[in-house]
Amino acid sequence: MSNFHEAARLSVTAIATLNGYRFRNAPGAHEAVVDYALAIGIVDTKGHAQLDQLRQLRHDINYPADLVEPSRRELDVIASLVTSVIGSASEKLPAPRIPPPPDQPRR
């Protein structure tokens, strides 16, 4: 669960960084990432709610007050959401500029 959350969070953070923004390492930062994903169109309102649920679920798992075990269906929904977030974030990245290979010495 933490890995799903981290993948989505880092994808959104990459776009924020590209746009000149940075999320503070402070309480509420992960929630700000979820809100930013909605603001820039990486997720719609339904995806925003799901991403926020993932954020809360990750928190509950990492800082348990009780044992949390998501169902297989929940895992499938989360995997689909994170795949969508990564894909949407990737589309917002500029095309990489790959230099041509160096000339090969002739034999």
Side-chain angles (χ1 to χ4, degrees):
M1 201 55 57
S2 289
N3 289 338
F4 280 134
H5 173 267
E6 194 71 0
R9 185 184 68 79
L10 290 175
S11 295
V12 175
T13 300
I15 300 305
T17 301
L18 182 69
N19 291 333
Y21 297 105
R22 180 176 170 264
F23 298 103
R24 293 178 191 230
N25 187 11
H30 289 200
E31 189 172 357
V33 170
V34 172
D35 292 344
Y36 187 76
L38 176 64
I40 63 170
I42 288 178
V43 293
D44 58 13
T45 53
K46 179 182 177 185
H48 177 264
Q50 290 176 321
L51 205 53
D52 195 49
Q53 287 175 342
L54 173 59
R55 179 192 60 78
Q56 186 60 50
L57 182 58
R58 172 242 171 225
H59 183 272
D60 293 345
I61 289 171
N62 287 356
Y63 308 101
D66 199 0
L67 184 62
V68 176
E69 187 172 337
S71 70
R72 182 69 202 163
R73 183 184 177 287
E74 289 172 316
L75 287 173
D76 290 343
V77 168
I78 290 166
S80 177
L81 170 67
V82 172
T83 300
S84 172
V85 167
I86 292 170
S88 293
S90 295
E91 290 172 4
K92 293 186 179 291
L93 292 172
R97 294 186 186 129
I98 301 172
D103 290 334
Q104 298 292 325
R106 294 187 181 199
R107 295 182 191 196

